[in-house]
Amino acid sequence: MPLSVSLSVEGDTTVIELEGELDAKTAPDFHQTIEKAAGHGTSTVEIRMAGVGYMASAGLRSLVFAQQKVGEHVTIKVVGAIEPVSRTIRTAGLDRSIVLSDD
Amino acid sequence: MDEAVKTARMSAELEVPATLGALGDIAALVLRLAGSAGLGKGASYRIRLAVDELATNIVMHGYRGGDGRITVRGRSGPGRVRISIEDRAPAFDPVQGRLPPEPHTAPERRRIGGLGIHLALTSVDEFDYVRRDGRNISTLTVMAEGTDPCPPRP
């Protein structure tokens, strides 16, 4: 079950768009993109997840990795996640450090 | 037009190598069973997540990347799916290995290991583990929604 990952910069925001399924098999692709995003040095990294129909704990690990990689002064926003995905993020308590947004 | 979803009893068994590449086959089986039981989107997601997390744990930590097999057996009935996952890795009781999240710890110091098991256990309605004949056997049950999408654990 593939994951497509794209990366772009919009002003002072680095945008990562994910589509597909984020699990232990596909998370390494996301990690590679996070490494690239961290190099951009923008103040916000926005992860658009509306196209992610399924996320396992490997995705949580990716989000923690992202925060560690960009540093605490950079805001990580997760945008458009479907309810079960945002519930998984909240279950892990990551909504305290990562901004969860509907749009 | 909202008619009751037709449900069918179904049982299935799948044995796969313990690799991340096999997770998709396991998920497909689980979703088929969930569909035949008439589970809604939320309950289907929960049983898939729980089985996926346990299977991933067996691949990554049970067999530690070595050769091994995972057997998944499932049974569905109206509004209910029960799935057992078996492996021959060293004994591991998920309830003992569960690590609840640490929301107050800064992200850079947070450990994520064990969180998958926590997610699995909080996603199902019933969970049982036994070690029998050198095998770990976890049995998970999810029922159709209509209740709390994330049932509290005792």
Side-chain angles (χ1 to χ4, degrees):
Chain A
M1 290 172 213
L3 176 76
S4 80
V5 189
S6 68
L7 179 68
S8 59
V9 176
E10 296 177 6
D12 199 27
T13 299
T14 300
V15 177
I16 299 175
E17 186 148 5
L18 302 176
E19 209 173 312
E21 300 195 336
L22 185 50
D23 61 13
K25 186 160 182 266
T26 60
D29 296 341
F30 183 25
H31 279 218
Q32 282 183 357
T33 306
I34 291 166
E35 301 257 18
K36 284 185 203 154
H40 287 173
T42 54
S43 65
T44 304
V45 173
E46 185 173 303
I47 302 168
R48 295 182 183 162
M49 293 186 75
V52 174
Y54 175 76
M55 184 183 79
S57 65
L60 295 174
R61 206 168 292 121
S62 302
L63 293 175
V64 170
F65 174 74
Q67 189 72 70
Q68 291 171 344
K69 213 65 201 167
V70 299
E72 59 188 28
H73 55 286
V74 175
T75 302
I76 298 214
K77 261 174 95 171
V78 168
V79 177
I82 62 172
E83 198 280 329
V85 169
S86 56
R87 180 172 70 84
T88 300
I89 292 170
R90 287 195 304 272
T91 300
L94 288 183
D95 54 324
R96 288 167 186 257
S97 49
I98 283 166
V99 178
L100 272 177
S101 157
D102 288 337
D103 50 32
Chain B
M1 287 295 284
D2 275 350
E3 293 179 35
V5 178
K6 282 191 177 168
T7 59
R9 289 184 191 280
M10 173 181 159
S11 64
E13 184 176 327
L14 176 71
E15 190 185 309
V16 290
T19 62
L20 293 181
L23 295 177
D25 290 340
I26 294 175
L29 176 81
V30 171
L31 291 176
R32 230 173 33 244
L33 285 160
S36 82
L39 297 194
K41 269 188 188 172
S44 300
Y45 194 101
R46 289 193 286 120
I47 186 71
R48 177 188 177 182
L49 179 64
V51 173
D52 187 24
E53 294 293 353
L54 291 186
T56 302
N57 201 64
I58 292 165
V59 172
M60 308 284 279
H61 305 295
Y63 291 117
R64 294 168 192 265
D67 285 343
R69 311 286 293 177
I70 299 175
T71 304
V72 181
R73 290 191 181 87
R75 226 175 39 239
S76 67
R80 177 191 178 99
V81 171
R82 176 166 289 165
I83 289 174
S84 73
I85 309 170
E86 287 187 26
D87 65 77
R88 291 187 171 274
F92 176 74
D93 178 352
V95 174
Q96 303 300 321
R98 172 191 196 185
L99 292 173
E102 306 171 295
H104 300 291
T105 304
E108 59 274 17
R109 288 197 299 276
R110 189 168 290 164
R111 55 154 170 70
I112 287 291
L115 194 51
I117 299 294
H118 175 76
L119 269 183
L121 297 181
T122 52
S123 293
V124 296
D125 293 299
E126 290 170 15
F127 180 81
D128 178 62
Y129 166 81
V130 288
R131 176 81 178 172
R132 190 189 301 143
D133 303 330
R135 292 170 298 153
N136 295 298
I137 307 171
S138 289
T139 305
L140 307 87
T141 305
V142 164
M143 296 175 206
E145 223 99 283
T147 52
D148 189 334
C150 183
R153 299 283 306 171

